[in-house]
Amino acid sequence: MPNIDIETTRNQARALLDSRIQSVTDLVKTRQRINDLKDQLAEAERDDKRAYVRATKDGWSAEELKRLGLEPAAVSRRRKTTKNTTEPAAPSGDAATS
């Protein structure tokens, strides 16, 4: 059986771990970029809404703005609700009728 050098083995193991750590690092960076872009988009949508309202307050009608290609921006992002919207069934039994 050949001799195994502990330092060589450690270095090889570190190289394997480093490549795995790099892929997770890249994933975190791209996720952060996505979050940053979502924040920028939300801010731009708020600015757009304010500008549209300001234009209408300055006398532009919705129809005029529409003819100029400036319809109100449709917000495509909606908050998901995790709340249960169905109400529990009313208890059945004789206690309610007596």
Side-chain angles (χ1 to χ4, degrees):
M1 183 169 182
N3 285 342
I4 299 175
D5 179 39
I6 188 113
E7 273 310 305
T8 302
T9 304
R10 281 184 178 177
N11 289 337
Q12 290 172 340
R14 279 192 186 102
L16 291 172
L17 288 176
D18 285 346
S19 70
R20 293 177 72 200
I21 291 171
Q22 185 59 48
S23 66
V24 169
T25 301
D26 293 344
L27 178 59
V28 169
K29 286 179 181 179
T30 57
R31 294 283 172 93
Q32 186 57 52
R33 182 169 176 250
I34 289 170
N35 288 336
D36 292 345
L37 290 170
K38 284 180 180 179
D39 291 343
Q40 289 177 21
L41 177 60
E43 184 178 345
E45 288 173 341
R46 285 189 299 271
D47 291 345
D48 179 75
K49 184 175 181 177
R50 282 189 218 109
Y52 187 88
V53 169
R54 190 170 46 248
T56 59
K57 286 183 178 180
D58 283 345
W60 291 96
S61 71
E63 184 59 37
E64 290 170 326
L65 292 172
K66 183 177 179 179
R67 277 188 270 152
L68 294 170
L70 299 170
E71 296 181 59
V75 178
S76 60
R77 297 178 316 128
R78 294 187 181 178
R79 293 184 184 181
K80 294 181 180 177
T81 58
T82 57
K83 188 176 170 182
N84 187 356
T85 57
T86 59
E87 296 197 19
S92 61
D94 294 345
T97 57
S98 31

